[in-house]
Amino acid sequence: MRRFILLLSLLLIYKLSVAQRVVHDHPPVRDTAALYKHIDNLNNTAYNIYLNTPDLARRLAEKALLLSQESNYATGKGRSFYNIGLIYWSQSYYPISLFYLNSATNYLPAGKSLDLSDCFNALGRTYADLGNYKQALANLDKALYLAGKDKALLAEVYSERSYVYCATKNYDKAVEAAQYSLKLNQEINDKGNIAVLYARLGGIYRFKKDYPAALKYDSISYSMSKITSNKRLRAKLYTEYALLYNELHKYDTAISYAKMGITLADSIGIIDAEVEGYKALVNSYELKNDFKSALAYQKRYAVMDDSISTSTKLKTIKLIQDHSALNSKLNDIKLMEAGDRENKAKIKAQTKLILILAASLVVLISMLFITFYLYKQKKLLSNKLKNQHSALLNQKELIEMQATNLQSVNDLKDKLLAVIGHDLRTPIANMSNIIEMFNDGYLDAGEVSELMKEISPIMKGTELTLSNLTEWAGSQIKGKNVNSTNVDIFLLGVEMEQTFMHHLQLKSIDFTNKAYAGQSVLADENHIKVILRNLVSNAIKFTGNKGNITLATQLEDNSIIISVTDTGKGMDADEIEKLFSINTHFSLSGTSGERGTGIGLLLCKELVELNGGKLSVSSMVGKGSTFYFNLPLVRAYV
């Protein structure tokens, strides 16, 4: 009996040891190369989009940073810190930007000299924006040394040096640095930076009071801004012209340029350029002794400044919260790593104890019960840890899903607020400006009439945008109800042609109604009207002069396929893929500069699906697009 118990004990110990070796001596294999490549792709994408979509870029860079921390990928951490620093700089949060950029220099390898040059160049620019010009030049010197013979990087460094020299009123050095940067950019044919440098030279010469030279460089920059389609630069140049003509005592000309700068900046959403335009405009009226107009525009400036201050405070709180959350996640990863090391040490100690007990069992059979007890406890602990780990993974997935849903809702809310606060305000502001200029005698009745013809499509677009917003908000608040009736698509096509007759005539577009007359579908008539209004409006928007738009229907089984086809500029595959997603949808300018919010197609998709159909699109760049959806036939026609 004792021999049997001894043999059984030895077998249990051997089985436990083998199990532990299987679990702990062979951890899951991770494809390090693939993980590093994924981290690099996240950082590359964040860098490419940070100027246009900084919030999305920051989320990608933060994800890359967390993965780099978990995998101990130093280059990935350095590039992630660099990207996050650039993003905070682009949003004017300079102290936070400095923290991340300085962190990047600690992780980027010495062999990555070009990456380090970029990082020190960004540090120099940020210190300059904070007014610490001595520290700015010190970092730019490091960037210059690390750039080597790379012309693009050298051009960037000298461009930033000219900015620092101008800020410190060392105008001769500023001109010299800007001219050298301009030469390098011309050698690599970087037209975007060339246009910016001409504008910088214009500003330097204005500070030097060499107004002919300033006008010369600003004129070149203005021409190149049209070639490069840089509306942001053009808006700032209008304000620069206003400042120049104020210096030349040509106040009416300055006022005209300031107003053009305000209008352009407002249309593309550059608030700082719009604020500078109002300041120049107020200064012009004050210099002209027209204090009434100066006071009126000063009030507008004050309202805008208050709005910007409030928005900035809210965004600052949000960014600080994001910064704290990221640091908290990094600390959590470090704690998890420490806990993992502690658990491995415990397991190793337990393994040694089991081996000692196994040897003792040969002499003392009574130790069998102790060994079995320890084995039982370890097994229970292992199961408990597995259950806890599984629960933590489930909780993490739930939190990530909730965060994604909350972000989608927040993005939709921001989109609606942005449309109401800007896109709907802009046409009204333009109408107000026309009325004001007419009252002040700057426009006569004929000019006002012409402007009204031009602004009519914009107001119609605004009306459609407001209608879409109302439908969208109503569906979210009241619930998604469908009141199905018999709907004749041909008659709705006649109504659409009458509704958009003016817009069709403005572009000389032919509208053809090929829908089967008398065939009805079972659907909510108001929903179908909203869908067709949006599809026909979009077709007009993206179709050039003398184009064609066709409404057609086609029978298929027990349903009708309804299509709206245009001969417009079309879309590529990437644009089509982004159309119907709330996270990636976008809006392009029409062939005559028409603007939209991108919410119309999302509304169409939702309404089509509510009525039992599916919205699809086929398109070719330069050939046009076809949007089509299916609806059930009325049973009498089945």
Side-chain angles (χ1 to χ4, degrees), residues 268-334:
I268 58 179
I270 306 178
I271 298 177
D272 58 343
E274 190 174 355
V275 169
E276 291 299 321
Y278 273 113
K279 288 168 67 177
L281 189 61
V282 171
N283 188 35
S284 298
Y285 278 117
E286 288 177 345
L287 292 171
K288 194 180 176 184
N289 294 325
D290 186 351
F291 298 110
K292 180 179 178 181
S293 298
L295 181 60
Y297 282 104
Q298 179 65 39
K299 289 180 179 179
R300 292 190 188 183
Y301 167 74
V303 170
M304 177 174 288
D305 190 50
D306 289 342
S307 176
I308 293 171
S309 298
T310 301
S311 176
T312 301
K313 288 178 182 178
L314 293 174
K315 195 168 185 181
T316 299
I317 294 171
K318 177 64 169 61
L319 289 175
I320 291 174
Q321 290 173 342
D322 291 341
H323 169 67
S324 299
L326 175 60
N327 287 335
S328 177
K329 290 179 181 178
L330 291 172
N331 290 331
D332 288 343
I333 291 174
K334 291 180 180 178

Side-chain angles (χ1 to χ4, degrees), residues 363-393:
V363 181
L364 300 171
I365 194 67
S366 60
M367 293 297 294
L368 172 64
F369 300 103
I370 299 175
T371 305
F372 178 76
Y373 174 77
L374 291 174
Y375 169 71
K376 190 70 176 178
Q377 289 296 313
K378 183 183 178 299
K379 189 174 182 180
L380 291 173
L381 177 61
S382 178
N383 290 334
K384 184 178 180 181
L385 288 173
K386 287 180 181 179
N387 292 334
Q388 289 177 346
H389 180 68
S390 177
L392 286 173
L393 288 177

Side-chain angles (χ1 to χ4, degrees), residues 38-39 42 58-68 326:
H38 176 59
I39 292 170
L42 288 173
R58 187 175 64 254
R59 289 197 295 272
L60 294 176
E62 288 176 352
K63 183 176 180 180
L65 178 59
L66 294 174
L67 290 173
S68 299
L326 175 60

